[in-house]
Amino acid sequence: MSEPQPPHQPPSGGGFGPPSDQPPGAPGYGYPGPAPTTPGYGYPASGAPAPGQPEPPTVSYGQPEPPPTVSYGQPTPTPAYGQPNPYQQPDPNPYAGYQQPPQTTAPMAVYPGGGAPAPRRPKSAQRTIVIAVVLAVLFVAGSGATAWYLTKDDSSTTATGGGGDKDGGDKGGDGTQTTGADAKPGKLAGKLLFSAAYPKIDTSVLGVDGLWVTEKTVVKGDVNAVAGYDSATGAEKWRLELDGEICGASQHLSEDGRFALLTAEAKPKNEDDHPSCNQVVVVDADSGKKLWQDAGMDGDQPLRLDEVTVGGGAVAAGGTSGAIVWKLTGGEPLWQTESGADCAEDGFGGGKDLLAVVRCGDYSDPQLKVEKIDLATKNSVWSYRLPEGTEYAQLLSTDPVVVGLTLGDRSGTSDLLALDDQGKLRSRISLGTSSISSDSAQYDPNCETTEVEPCRTVAVDEKNVYLASEQHSDPASDSGQTNEIVAFDLATGKSVQKFDAGKDRTMVPLRMAGSKLIAYMEPTYERGGRIVAIDPATGAQEPWLQLPGSQSDVDSRLSPDRDSVLFAYGRLYFGLNLASDSGGEHNKYLMAAYGN
């Protein structure tokens, strides 16, 4: 381990549901309510700096800090609050950008190639709550869905096929396609290809986070282990035993197919033994080779780490007692923020870049900011201070940058901020209020409130962020439920398009595949789930993969709301994130792969 870095410097300054009387011409159900008639909180007064402006990243860790510059992780000067809000200007017609999708047959898609530190609510407490729910309802719910796929330079081939859908006669899956992670299946009709059996355990609950896919291998976290399965046959290729339980897993694979796990330092000796989650393990997905392992330590005491990510050529882990960053290739840590620092990373967002959510201040008045990190200099490329009242922040995307905010007493993400590549604010998006719970959102990306990653049901492209509305009664059905996916413009924050799930169906966004939005249409009692490709430009929906109705009881137990769900290489993968001693009574699979 490297020598501890000097601590950061102290801060320098102090209703959902169909409207009952909807006027003629009003937009259809599923849109957020009209924008506020007055500007929101946080707009700078004349001459005052706007919160979150980028700062010159010229100071390295541990160096003296000249007044006009701020090093990575340093608290930023506190601008005045309480003035009108730059995030969201009044919008006399918030639906002006919406155009109803043409009611035509879906066209064939085109597939491009591939003090004291600010205390935090212990993240282990959140897992404890989840465990309690699991045991109470005898249903395994995930603690942090982690799923990713690897795209390389794939050659193009052709595949033809076709199939009919008994639920309405749609055709899908015919034509010429490009192979790779974004490819659609050869035909519509899908089946269970292979699976990994639900594990037998003798303890109440264990973490089994992690689901990754390459062209050759499907990798799944298991009980005190991680295993790779041949993507062609489903046979187990390799198994890597770990020191202890999986506490967290990177959402992302590196370009060369590496992922990271956070594990306990040992297996518990008894029910009262709780080994620290401080071991970071980096593994090659195709070979199963453990490339390196290191421990997060604060002196001679283990760091309490809660999450890990891969991004920007680095592996980064954060938690309630500090954070630590390594090069992806391993070696001595690049830097470490230990307990007692005036500012510390809540966690990191990975992928193409590495971003950090940094917390400064005291318990009653924390100051959070998002920073992009230059690993070579250990400086912040830019720093954006989040609005006052932000309790937690999530990174839905690092390219483009989309930040989730948990404000005040809200139990989940309530607002989104879109930032440009210089860390300047583009827009603020309100996620509305749930009709079921006033502290939840109408458009919920399903983020872990106290963790920076992952968010399970969201997709982002260069223009929009796509979110599912909560379920509501279906006007076309006597008793069914339906919902919509709504596109919010990252430049304006306004809703610009919506995509209806259809009669008695609900769907959630999974990811982008080239220019297409990939959504998972959830199963009903009679019908299995379905993968749908949506053209954001036209609203046209094309069914890509229909799961068998006989499996609807299986895939209904594996949900994007709580588990790892991933569509890649023309297949749909499910993976549980928690296993319990009684979960096998209700779940058949640890992992399941559907395709044709």
Side-chain angles (χ1 to χ4, degrees):
M1 300 298 294
S2 61
E3 292 296 319
Q5 297 290 336
H8 302 279
Q9 299 302 312
S12 58
F16 191 82
S20 56
D21 298 305
Q22 187 169 347
Y29 183 72
Y31 269 95
T37 56
T38 58
Y41 182 71
Y43 196 90
S46 177
Q53 294 303 311
E55 302 160 352
T58 59
V59 181
S60 298
Y61 265 12
Q63 300 300 318
E65 181 181 354
T69 62
V70 179
S71 172
Y72 165 68
Q74 302 296 328
T76 55
T78 306
Y81 276 89
Q83 303 301 322
N85 187 352
Y87 304 130
Q88 188 168 341
Q89 299 297 330
D91 180 13
N93 183 9
Y95 309 108
Y98 170 69
Q99 296 181 352
Q100 184 68 27
Q103 302 300 312
T104 59
T105 302
M108 291 306 297
V110 178
Y111 309 98
R120 285 165 278 176
R121 184 184 307 153
K123 298 178 185 178
S124 58
Q126 185 181 34
R127 175 170 287 223
T128 301
I129 294 171
V130 173
I131 290 172
V133 173
V134 170
L135 297 178
V137 302
L138 293 178
F139 192 87
V140 175
S143 65
T146 301
W148 206 246
Y149 57 93
L150 178 63
T151 305
K152 295 185 178 180
D153 293 331
D154 299 297
S155 59
S156 296
T157 62
T158 59
T160 59
D165 179 12
K166 296 180 180 179
D167 301 325
D170 301 313
K171 292 183 178 180
D174 359 311
T176 301
Q177 298 114 48
T178 300
T179 62
D182 291 347
K184 70 175 182 179
K187 56 184 179 180
L188 179 64
K191 61 182 179 181
L192 179 64
L193 299 177
F194 56 84
S195 63
Y198 193 91
K200 295 180 180 180
I201 60 176
D202 55 6
T203 187
S204 56
V205 172
L206 280 176
V208 289
D209 299 22
L211 177 65
W212 304 270
V213 176
T214 74
E215 192 170 7
K216 299 177 180 178
T217 312
V218 181
V219 182
K220 179 69 191 83
D222 208 325
V223 176
N224 302 321
V226 60
Y229 301 87
D230 188 290
S231 61
T233 67
E236 185 174 298
K237 293 173 58 176
W238 56 261
R239 175 170 291 267
L240 178 63
E241 297 296 329
L242 304 170
D243 292 344
E245 176 184 3
I246 296 175
C247 311
S250 64
Q251 180 182 355
H252 309 280
L253 274 172
S254 66
E255 290 184 357
D256 57 355
R258 304 181 185 197
F259 63 88
L261 291 164
L262 175 63
T263 78
E265 60 184 354
K267 300 177 181 67
K269 298 176 182 177
N270 52 57
E271 292 184 356
D272 298 323
D273 185 24
H274 303 287
S276 294
C277 288
N278 72 328
Q279 299 293 312
V280 173
V281 184
V282 174
V283 182
D284 181 275
D286 280 330
S287 70
K289 180 180 179 181
K290 181 168 70 174
L291 302 174
W292 59 268
Q293 179 172 345
D294 204 350
M297 301 294 293
D298 185 357
D300 59 354
Q301 297 297 315
L303 282 175
R304 183 176 178 179
L305 300 173
D306 300 295
E307 55 186 284
V308 65
T309 196
V310 171
V315 176
T320 53
S321 64
I324 188 166
V325 179
W326 296 264
K327 288 184 179 180
L328 181 60
T329 53
E332 289 295 307
L334 295 173
W335 74 84
Q336 181 170 340
T337 305
E338 297 174 343
S339 58
D342 294 305
C343 295
E345 298 90 342
D346 269 10
F348 301 85
K352 177 183 177 182
D353 298 315
L354 184 67
L355 273 63
V357 172
V358 180
R359 179 180 298 263
C360 305
D362 57 30
Y363 183 84
S364 61
D365 187 25
Q367 174 188 316
L368 273 70
K369 57 185 177 178
V370 175
E371 297 188 335
K372 182 177 179 180
I373 307 166
D374 184 334
L375 296 176
T377 64
K378 305 175 188 176
N379 293 332
S380 58
V381 178
W382 51 256
S383 180
Y384 182 89
R385 191 171 79 85
L386 299 179
E388 189 172 312
T390 302
E391 296 291 333
Y392 297 97
Q394 305 85 35
L395 287 169
L396 284 70
S397 171
T398 61
D399 183 28
V401 180
V402 180
V403 184
L405 307 178
T406 299
L407 300 172
D409 295 331
R410 294 293 289 264
S411 63
T413 307
S414 60
D415 295 78
L416 302 182
L417 301 181
L419 307 182
D420 66 15
D421 58 6
Q422 300 300 312
K424 295 181 180 179
L425 182 71
R426 299 175 65 189
S427 68
R428 180 168 181 167
I429 301 168
S430 172
L431 301 185
T433 301
S434 167
S435 64
I436 300 173
S437 172
S438 61
D439 66 349
S440 298
Q442 179 182 358
Y443 300 91
D444 187 0
N446 280 294
C447 305
E448 290 292 336
T449 300
T450 61
E451 296 186 9
V452 174
E453 287 183 336
C455 297
R456 304 184 189 93
T457 53
V458 61
V460 182
D461 62 19
E462 293 181 354
K463 294 182 179 180
N464 302 318
V465 57
Y466 303 90
L467 298 163
S469 74
E470 69 177 353
Q471 297 181 21
H472 58 83
S473 59
D474 187 348
S477 173
D478 293 335
S479 59
Q481 295 283 300
T482 190
N483 80 329
E484 303 77 28
I485 293 176
V486 175
F488 294 89
D489 190 298
L490 295 175
T492 66
K494 298 178 181 178
S495 55
V496 292
Q497 182 68 291
K498 75 165 184 174
F499 315 107
D500 296 321
K503 182 179 178 181
D504 295 340
R505 299 305 294 257
T506 59
M507 64 180 178
V508 295
L510 293 182
R511 69 175 186 91
M512 302 303 297
S515 63
K516 302 295 181 182
L517 169 64
I518 301 300
Y520 175 62
M521 192 169 287
E522 298 180 279
T524 66
Y525 288 113
E526 297 84 17
R527 295 174 289 181
R530 173 189 287 183
I531 288 292
V532 177
I534 302 172
D535 184 344
T538 66
Q541 298 183 25
E542 181 184 12
W544 271 17
L545 184 66
Q546 176 66 53
L547 275 59
S550 61
Q551 295 293 325
S552 62
D553 63 327
V554 175
D555 62 303
S556 66
R557 297 181 183 276
L558 295 163
S559 168
D561 291 346
R562 56 184 178 264
D563 301 310
S564 297
V565 177
L566 173 61
F567 179 79
Y569 298 99
R571 294 176 174 181
L572 181 63
Y573 298 91
F574 292 95
L576 290 174
N577 297 305
L578 283 177
S580 72
D581 54 0
S582 59
E585 301 173 9
H586 308 275
N587 294 276
K588 295 181 180 179
Y589 307 127
L590 174 69
M591 177 273 294
Y594 290 90
N596 46 54

